[in-house]
Amino acid sequence: MTAIRRSPFAVTTMLAAAVGLCAPSAFAAQPGGDGDKEFVVAAHQSNLAEIAAGEDARKNAQDSCVKNVGAALVKDHTKLDADLKALADKMNISLPATPTPEQEQHLKGVQQKAGSPDYDEAWLTAQEAGHKTTLALIDKQIDQGDNKDVTAAANKARPIVARHLDMVRDATCHPMG
């Protein structure tokens, strides 16, 4: 296990910035849209953001545990997104090609710390906050979703996202079991 020291200011700043890394405003209700469609679009953008963050960790993390967790995010979210794209095609839902601007901005904030010991801490903190938010949104879909296929996708994603959260809990890297 790798523990990373955190200053209260750094943690507060990173948490405020990180909430959007995995699941920002794309999950907010959109006028005229239905919750199932919104979930599919937002989950797709979350997957794109996680893949980008994982690739960035593989490249910029100093700790091997963080690099390995980044690799796991790339692998898992690539698979989840392939399944989600198939569902979106079946439901005739157009998916954006990129994460939300907020997600991209939050990743840039973490990337600014590349090459410093602060990078790993910022990345772990961002992932913890994002995965907590994503789990809450998945749970909302599971509890309130109307479309059984979309809800099934949320059920499939839940243990994976929960495992990712366990890997980054308390801004400490926990190797995969």
Side-chain angles (χ1 to χ4, degrees):
M1 233 185 305
T2 302
I4 297 181
R5 293 177 28 194
R6 299 164 277 168
S7 73
F9 175 74
V11 171
T12 302
T13 302
M14 287 183 276
L15 281 174
V19 170
L21 189 57
C22 285
S25 60
F27 278 104
Q30 298 171 1
D34 86 355
D36 295 310
K37 176 183 175 186
E38 291 168 13
F39 177 82
V40 170
V41 171
H44 166 68
Q45 287 184 294
S46 178
N47 285 329
L48 294 177
E50 289 302 331
I51 292 164
E55 289 172 347
D56 196 69
R58 291 190 322 190
K59 181 173 59 172
N60 291 312
Q62 294 184 356
D63 184 90
S64 63
C65 180
V66 175
K67 287 179 183 279
N68 290 337
V69 170
L73 295 183
V74 171
K75 178 182 167 234
D76 294 344
H77 285 282
T78 298
K79 172 68 173 117
L80 287 172
D81 204 50
D83 295 343
L84 199 61
K85 285 179 187 176
L87 178 60
D89 285 345
K90 177 181 167 185
M91 295 178 66
N92 223 10
I93 297 173
S94 263
L95 296 176
T98 61
T100 68
E102 293 89 356
Q103 289 166 322
E104 290 174 335
Q105 190 61 38
H106 292 303
L107 181 57
K108 285 179 186 173
V110 172
Q111 288 171 328
Q112 289 175 351
K113 297 175 182 352
S116 78
D118 295 338
Y119 175 88
D120 291 0
E121 178 184 348
W123 190 87
L124 288 165
T125 300
Q127 291 308 308
E128 180 178 16
H131 282 84
K132 283 180 179 178
T133 301
T134 299
L135 273 179
L137 295 163
I138 286 171
D139 288 343
K140 180 180 177 186
Q141 176 64 31
I142 291 168
D143 292 341
Q144 300 174 9
D146 293 322
N147 183 292
K148 67 179 176 59
D149 293 332
V150 175
T151 301
N155 273 309
K156 181 178 180 180
R158 192 183 195 296
I160 296 165
V161 174
R163 182 171 50 88
H164 292 171
L165 177 58
D166 288 342
M167 291 182 199
V168 298
R169 194 169 300 280
D170 300 323
T172 301
C173 192
H174 303 276
M176 296 175 291

